[in-house]
Amino acid sequence: MTRRRLRVALDQGAGRSGDTASSLARLADRARAAADEGADLLVGPEMSMTGYALGAEVARLAEPADGPLAEAVARVAADTGVAIVYGFPERADGRVYNAVRLVGGDGAPLALYRKSHLFGDLDRDMYAPGDTPVVQADLNGVRLGLLICYDVEFPETVRAHALAGTELLVVPTALMHPNVRVPTLLVPARALENQLHLAYVNRCDVEGDLDYMGLSTLVGPDGAELLRAGPDEELLVADVDPAVTAELLAEQSYLDDRRPDLYGSLVP
């Protein structure tokens, strides 16, 4: 029988900004710790392998999705048997994208997503926007979807995933103070209104002038917090069980009760 439960580890931390070697060493350590906890999947923050506020350094650090960094992460995944979601600047088609990649516990590439909603000049000065709204992969029989940080603050993005059958939405993030209502109010609401599991994994350190708040969370399809980090570095682990979602949907389904015929004016 296909396995349907996924044990997820949230890694609220990052290596030194601009130093992929330190990030890889840290990733290997965290993947081993996640494996010791029985985790199937390890999720890090936005741009976890390079740092987020890179400025001109992004040109040096950007590489293709199948470049040396990808090969190194794949080896970590294969060595530990833990699937990994990691962020990096992807160079493709003469552009650089803020990207996140999922590799399986055997090191095989499973999915690549490019951030589609860019946050202010900080993002726009470095990255081109992605144009694929829904990226998914199956992991241990669970349908996993990917977004990045600001993307989750748009209700349309999460609803698109719900309509496409995403069961666990993974959102690597680099959110700064004082935006505390995003992880504490908005993210649980997104999970609740779309009746899916949502893993929101934020940084918790300081990078230049940016003070990241942490508060990573795993939220269930009923809006309940299964995991909630504080402001400091943590590795938190919990199970995602799609059977919980199935039971909830059997009682009431927001998707089934929608009235799309009334919503045309929402899309000009």
Side-chain angles (χ1 to χ4, degrees):
M1 181 180 294
T2 302
R3 185 178 175 190
R4 291 281 293 157
R5 185 173 298 218
L6 192 69
R7 194 157 175 80
V8 180
L10 312 185
D11 176 21
Q12 183 170 277
R16 292 190 297 275
S17 184
D19 185 350
T20 55
S22 77
S23 297
L24 282 166
R26 188 187 177 284
L27 178 68
D29 176 77
R30 295 293 81 196
R32 287 190 295 269
D36 289 343
E37 295 288 336
D40 305 296
L41 173 67
L42 174 66
V43 183
E46 180 178 8
M47 302 293 287
S48 58
M49 302 310 300
T50 60
Y52 170 64
L54 298 174
E57 280 287 274
V58 72
R60 176 179 68 86
L61 294 167
E63 63 176 64
D66 59 354
L69 181 60
E71 295 175 359
V73 174
R75 286 193 294 271
V76 173
D79 288 346
T80 59
V82 176
I84 297 172
V85 171
Y86 69 98
F88 71 106
E90 180 206 6
R91 187 181 301 280
D93 304 322
R95 295 181 166 191
V96 177
Y97 298 92
N98 182 334
V100 64
R101 198 172 195 233
L102 167 66
V103 297
D106 59 357
L110 297 180
L112 174 74
Y113 173 75
R114 296 165 176 168
K115 189 175 184 178
S116 56
H117 296 78
L118 300 183
F119 181 76
D121 292 340
L122 189 60
D123 264 350
R124 296 188 187 101
D125 288 348
M126 293 186 288
Y127 305 113
D131 58 7
T132 303
V134 176
V135 171
Q136 298 171 311
D138 288 333
L139 190 64
N140 289 6
V142 175
R143 179 62 60 87
L144 186 151
L146 298 170
L147 292 176
I148 299 174
C149 196
Y150 194 40
D151 289 326
V152 80
E153 298 181 38
F154 294 83
E156 298 88 348
T157 61
V158 185
R159 179 51 53 91
H161 270 277
L163 291 169
T166 292
E167 296 172 302
L168 169 62
L169 184 58
V170 175
V171 188
T173 299
L175 183 73
M176 302 80 74
H177 286 287
N179 302 301
V180 68
R181 290 183 180 86
V182 173
T184 59
L185 294 179
L186 186 148
V187 167
R190 289 285 177 269
L192 172 62
E193 69 192 3
N194 291 287
Q195 295 174 300
L196 47 68
H197 287 83
L198 200 162
Y200 184 86
V201 186
N202 191 27
R203 289 184 63 160
C204 63
D205 58 349
V206 175
E207 186 184 32
D209 295 332
L210 303 182
D211 183 11
Y212 302 109
M213 71 178 65
L215 301 181
S216 299
T217 188
L218 175 64
V219 184
D222 58 356
E225 294 180 1
L226 305 178
L227 295 172
R228 171 65 74 182
D232 301 316
E233 186 169 331
E234 297 184 61
L235 182 72
L236 302 177
V237 181
D239 289 335
V240 167
D241 185 357
V244 174
T245 307
E247 293 172 2
L248 187 66
L249 293 176
E251 296 177 3
Q252 178 195 16
S253 169
Y254 287 134
L255 296 186
D256 289 346
D257 292 341
R258 292 182 314 127
R259 290 284 310 280
D261 55 302
L262 302 180
Y263 308 152
S265 63
L266 298 179
V267 182

